Amino acid sequence: MGRSLITGGMGFTGIHLARELLADGEEVVLFQRRGHLPSSASDLQGKVSIASCDINNWVQVVETVRKHEISTIYHAAALLSKGCEESVFGGFRVNVEGTMN
């Protein structure tokens, strides 16, 4: 099995995907700005690695992929409607530039 990186790894989709990948025998790295698991994901403590990085920072993305020898990337990082309404530029950076990275 390989090592998977999940961008937006501590969001709803990322946490559920991490559980599925772990059940399939994958190693999982959660890529997220915050450096700790939310309480709803306490069952993942010690089972996943956490890369506290910014999806908008190309260097951090590349360094994380290299450091953890990632074989698969699942892109789940996104700023949803409320965040985009509050900051159109921030929404563009995360949703478009982050996807490009």
Side-chain angles (χ1 to χ4, degrees):
M1 293 273 110
R3 185 171 295 135
S4 297
L5 177 76
I6 304 172
T7 68
M10 293 188 208
F12 180 83
T13 301
I15 293 297
H16 288 281
L17 177 57
R19 288 181 179 126
E20 292 297 318
L21 292 172
L22 288 168
D24 288 343
E26 291 279 329
E27 294 179 48
V28 176
V29 178
L30 302 179
F31 187 99
Q32 182 79 27
R33 279 194 288 185
R34 66 182 144 192
H36 61 280
L37 288 167
S39 58
S40 63
S42 60
D43 60 307
L44 298 179
Q45 190 69 42
K47 297 178 184 177
V48 298
S49 297
I50 297 172
S52 182
C53 303
D54 185 345
I55 192 68
N56 291 311
N57 186 317
W58 169 249
V59 173
Q60 289 181 356
V61 173
V62 172
E63 286 177 350
T64 301
V65 169
R66 285 183 182 155
K67 175 184 174 186
H68 293 279
E69 299 177 347
I70 300 299
S71 58
T72 305
I73 299 173
Y74 295 92
H75 180 49
L79 195 58
L80 301 179
S81 57
K82 181 180 179 197
C84 289
E85 289 171 7
E86 293 172 357
S87 173
V88 173
F89 181 71
F92 177 84
R93 288 196 68 224
V94 171
N95 296 343
V96 177
E97 292 178 9
T99 298
M100 289 172 45
N101 287 340

